[in-house]
Amino acid sequence: MREKYQKIYQKIVFYYTLAFAIYTLFGRFTILHALVENTVNAFLFVFAGFFGLFLFSIDFFFYHSFRKMKCYPVYAVFILCAAISSALNYQYGITSNLSTLVWLVVQMGLFATMGQLFTRQQYHRWLTLFFTFSGLIWGIASAVSVWQYIFVPGYRIAMNGRLIRQSLYDNRLFGVFIDPNLGAFVAFLVIWGMVYLMRRFSSRILRAIAAANCLVQLVYIILSGSRSTEVCMICSLSYTLILLLIKYYRKREKQSALLIRAASYILAPVLCTLVIAGSFHLFKTGVSHLASVMAPEKHTSKEELKRTDIEGNGSNNRIDIWKGYLFLMKDKPLFGVSPRNAWNYADREHPGSYIAEHHYDVHNAYVAVLACMGAAGFLVLLVMIFCFLKTLLPRSVDTDRMDLQYFTALQIILNVAVFIFFYPGIFFTNGIDTVLFWPAIGYTMQQASTLLPSRKPSAPAADDNLI
């Protein structure tokens, strides 16, 4: 009877995470976000957070599956540090910090545990459903955005007290997305999703649709001018190329010289950087000419895709933002200025500071932990990263045990880990990056060495090779 109810519980978690992932995608379209922002959005996120907490509580009190995660003590200490920081800074706000704590428990407790319990078949099913829905949603959105680039002049939509740029604006294609950086980042994940579907299914029609979707996403990425996504692409494709080289060298009957192999591994990211940078530049030149032919009255400048907002400001204010948050941290170096109320702290204690004047998000998840949770929280984060890398680095180059699901999970982890160098997630926010990252962490950490005494993990079974 217990096993029967546990299977029902796991199905509920499965579809809960999938539904939440899809809903977060819809929230990135400007028009849809404007419709729900002041109506059902807040309620749905509160409901989703507490429903996720309820689901984790069931596991905590009855099934204890979270204990199968080898790193769960580190997660618990990280959440404890966030709670201490929130308590020490309660006078600057309570509600948002409580929400953050709830979502930390859901992400590290429920999402990661789900991934920990996934078999290859279950993770394949989850990825298939997610990439099918996200591919459809993002395919339509990116196609409309590319159409806007050619035929619709840039415009603004009033939302949340500010004007959101749309279509081609300030030499970037915002399209129908609130943020072109996140739009481009999800587009790149969708490309990997389409590759996943093409490798798993043999239908020529489905493969053709997936390939066309890849092309649409790539066009949007290039026109969006998202440098953070370009960095993700360089890192992601570099790792893929290195993995292919490792497999090639291991299959050769005659072993290549160590120096040659090492040089090829170093040249791989250099080659990826040159190809991406060069091809993106050429494509922008070509598409600008094409747009001027198709809609000459709307495209009069040959430099319409050259970003002018970063001239003399290569980091786009990010360095000043990071310095501003670290400046606040000096007052409370041990536990920081609270996970979500740094703005309130800056307004009260340092009204003339950079953060108080501009109210920028931190735009770096690692700096966010350091400034908002202090040295204690950052130290726990470093331990967490060490635990991840201890397991993931050896497996990431083990071509004999590499299968499609594991490779896809690694790509999700790698891309999110790189993207959050330039974006606030994944600790104090909840969105598509968190609901992809933590299940992938749970899945890839199934064979991690335990931090506490327990039974030895069983060896993984062989599965379909990726390449």
Side-chain angles (χ1 to χ4, degrees):
M1 183 66 70
R2 182 186 177 91
E3 292 182 356
K4 175 184 176 182
Y5 285 117
Q6 187 171 10
K7 288 182 179 179
I8 295 174
Y9 166 79
Q10 290 173 350
K11 285 184 178 180
I12 293 173
V13 174
F14 182 98
Y15 288 108
Y16 160 76
T17 55
L18 185 64
F20 179 71
I22 300 302
Y23 180 77
T24 59
L25 290 180
F26 280 110
R28 303 317 303 172
F29 306 143
T30 307
I31 295 178
L32 293 178
H33 186 85
L35 291 174
V36 301
E37 177 63 22
N38 297 314
T39 54
V40 300
N41 195 57
F43 167 77
L44 287 177
F45 268 98
V46 170
F47 173 79
F50 280 100
F51 186 68
L53 185 63
F54 170 71
L55 292 175
F56 174 72
S57 299
I58 293 176
D59 180 69
F60 184 87
F61 289 109
F62 296 101
Y63 302 128
H64 312 295
S65 297
F66 74 96
R67 293 184 180 178
K68 295 180 181 179
M69 296 189 298
K70 310 305 188 295
C71 292
Y72 86 86
V74 182
Y75 302 157
V77 175
F78 185 85
I79 295 170
L80 177 62
C81 288
I84 293 174
S85 177
S86 300
L88 293 176
N89 296 283
Y90 73 93
Q91 66 270 37
Y92 304 106
I94 297 176
T95 305
S96 57
N97 277 338
L98 286 177
S99 174
T100 297
L101 292 174
V102 168
W103 278 106
L104 278 176
V105 173
V106 172
Q107 291 159 7
M108 295 182 172
L110 187 69
F111 293 173
T113 300
M114 182 184 73
Q116 178 74 30
L117 298 178
F118 269 155
T119 63
R120 284 188 179 90
Q121 292 73 21
Q122 289 170 332
Y123 195 41
H124 162 64
R125 186 162 177 250
W126 198 96
L127 289 174
T128 300
L129 289 171
F130 172 75
F131 285 136
T132 299
F133 283 110
S134 63
L136 175 63
I137 295 167
W138 231 250
I140 295 173
S142 295
V144 172
S145 297
V146 173
W147 175 81
Q148 281 188 335
Y149 164 71
I150 298 175
F151 298 108
V152 181
Y155 60 98
R156 291 190 177 192
I157 293 179
M159 190 178 71
N160 300 333
R162 58 195 181 108
L163 294 175
I164 305 298
R165 292 166 286 183
Q166 298 284 269
S167 191
L168 179 66
Y169 211 105
D170 290 339
N171 302 82
R172 302 184 66 182
L173 180 58
F174 286 73
V176 297
F177 301 111
I178 296 175
D179 178 9
N181 292 313
L182 187 59
F185 175 68
V186 176
F188 185 53
L189 293 182
V190 167
I191 289 176
W192 275 119
M194 296 302 100
V195 172
Y196 181 88
L197 296 179
M198 285 189 285
R199 292 304 305 267
R200 293 296 307 192
F201 299 102
S202 58
S203 170
R204 291 184 178 180
I205 296 176
L206 291 178
R207 286 186 171 187
I209 294 173
N213 199 358
C214 288
L215 180 60
V216 171
Q217 303 304 332
L218 182 59
V219 171
Y220 178 77
I221 291 171
I222 297 174
L223 299 183
S224 72
S226 175
R227 295 176 301 163
S228 53
T229 302
E230 288 184 36
V231 174
C232 289
M233 293 181 72
I234 290 170
C235 295
S236 178
L237 297 178
S238 295
Y239 163 63
T240 305
L241 183 55
I242 290 172
L243 189 64
L244 288 167
L245 288 171
I246 291 172
K247 185 165 186 176
Y248 168 75
Y249 289 133
R250 287 181 177 176
K251 281 190 170 182
R252 289 193 64 183
E253 295 182 2
K254 184 178 180 181
Q255 193 66 267
S256 301
L258 178 61
L259 184 61
I260 294 176
R261 284 182 286 158
S264 66
Y265 299 151
I266 295 172
L267 288 174
V270 175
L271 177 64
C272 286
T273 303
L274 293 175
V275 170
I276 289 175
S279 60
F280 277 26
H281 176 74
L282 290 175
F283 184 84
K284 287 180 180 179
T285 302
V287 79
S288 295
H289 177 72
L290 178 63
S292 65
V293 172
M294 297 180 67
E297 70 284 359
K298 295 180 177 64
H299 300 274
T300 58
S301 173
K302 295 181 179 179
E303 302 291 330
E304 66 178 8
L305 291 173
K306 181 180 179 181
R307 290 185 61 179
T308 58
D309 59 322
I310 56 175
E311 292 180 356
N313 182 19
S315 71
N316 202 13
N317 296 324
R318 282 185 172 88
I319 292 178
D320 291 330
I321 294 170
W322 300 340
K323 287 180 178 178
Y325 275 89
L326 295 177
F327 169 79
L328 299 179
M329 176 200 168
K330 70 181 180 61
D331 296 342
K332 299 188 175 185
L334 186 57
F335 287 103
V337 296
S338 98
R340 287 289 297 275
N341 292 316
W343 292 356
N344 295 340
Y345 181 85
D347 290 341
R348 292 193 193 181
E349 307 300 333
H350 299 281
S353 65
Y354 186 82
I355 301 304
E357 291 180 354
H358 296 283
H359 278 194
Y360 284 129
D361 282 322
V362 68
H363 285 85
N364 185 309
Y366 308 104
V367 173
V369 172
L370 178 58
C372 299
M373 289 176 56
F378 192 70
L379 178 61
V380 179
L381 175 62
L382 292 179
V383 173
M384 191 187 304
I385 293 173
F386 171 78
C387 293
F388 293 162
L389 294 180
K390 183 181 177 182
T391 298
L392 298 186
L393 284 181
R395 278 297 310 272
S396 67
V397 294
D398 188 347
T399 57
D400 293 331
R401 293 197 296 168
M402 185 66 68
D403 59 75
L404 185 58
Q405 287 81 10
Y406 200 92
F407 175 80
T408 304
L410 285 177
Q411 284 289 358
I412 290 172
I413 293 169
L414 173 62
N415 280 287
V416 171
V418 173
F419 187 65
I420 61 176
F421 270 100
F422 316 100
Y423 200 74
I426 54 177
F427 303 108
F428 306 146
T429 61
N430 49 75
I432 190 60
D433 45 359
T434 59
V435 78
L436 289 176
F437 180 84
W438 291 108
I441 282 290
Y443 183 76
T444 55
M445 293 289 287
Q446 289 178 0
Q447 305 304 319
S449 57
T450 184
L451 297 175
L452 299 176
S454 66
R455 293 176 297 177
K456 290 184 178 180
S458 58
D463 201 337
D464 50 322
N465 286 330
L466 167 68
I467 43 181

